Amino acid sequence: MNRKQGGMTLTSFLMVLAVVGFALYVGMKLFPMYQEFYAVKTSMKALAREPGTSDPSRAQELFFKRMDMNYSDSVKRDNIKFDRIDGGVRMNVSYEVRRPLVGNLDIVGRFENSQDLTSHGE
């Protein structure tokens, strides 16, 4: 009866631990970026349901009030564009988020979303 133990060696365990740790570190950098984008999308959808947001200046003011409540600072006024459509405007938000990763490497996220804002809040 010759029994042999099976399992991971210390070296392979440390390598797996390093890969999982790096993946968690990158995830911790990415999560706030996507959480902020979700707040942008949610704010734009809520804005579309509000009546009277077909005026671009009012829509922009209400949008930034919502973004302030979400502690969002990546979206600037220059990142918002309005296009005229039938019955209102289309709000386009396009912005980029850059977060440091390791040394001189950054994680860059480019986010875009558009929402139709009509005069009757549909």
Side-chain angles (χ1 to χ4, degrees), residues 52-72:
T53 56
S54 60
D55 175 37
S57 61
R58 177 167 159 69
Q60 193 171 34
E61 176 188 337
L62 291 173
F63 175 74
F64 279 108
K65 282 184 180 179
R66 283 183 168 85
M67 296 313 301
D68 286 343
M69 288 186 332
N70 290 320
Y71 301 107
S72 173

Side-chain angles (χ1 to χ4, degrees), residues 10-47:
L10 180 61
T11 307
S12 61
F13 176 72
L14 290 177
M15 287 177 28
V16 168
L17 190 63
V19 169
V20 169
F22 184 73
L24 286 174
Y25 179 70
V26 170
M28 287 178 9
K29 294 288 185 171
L30 289 174
F31 181 75
M33 293 167 46
Y34 280 96
Q35 184 179 19
E36 183 178 42
F37 180 60
Y38 178 75
V40 168
K41 286 175 54 173
T42 305
S43 296
M44 290 175 75
K45 285 181 184 178
L47 200 60

Side-chain angles (χ1 to χ4, degrees), residues 77-120:
R77 294 196 186 274
D78 296 340
N79 302 125
I80 299 176
K81 304 288 186 239
F82 290 94
D83 298 323
R84 291 270 175 217
I85 59 170
D86 291 338
V89 293
R90 177 172 289 133
M91 182 179 182
N92 299 306
V93 176
S94 177
Y95 66 101
E96 188 175 282
V97 181
R98 182 177 298 266
R99 299 282 186 252
L101 182 62
V102 177
N104 62 351
L105 297 176
D106 291 345
I107 291 180
V108 179
R110 183 168 163 71
F111 300 98
E112 294 181 17
N113 194 38
S114 64
Q115 181 69 49
D116 293 344
L117 306 174
T118 58
S119 57
H120 44 279

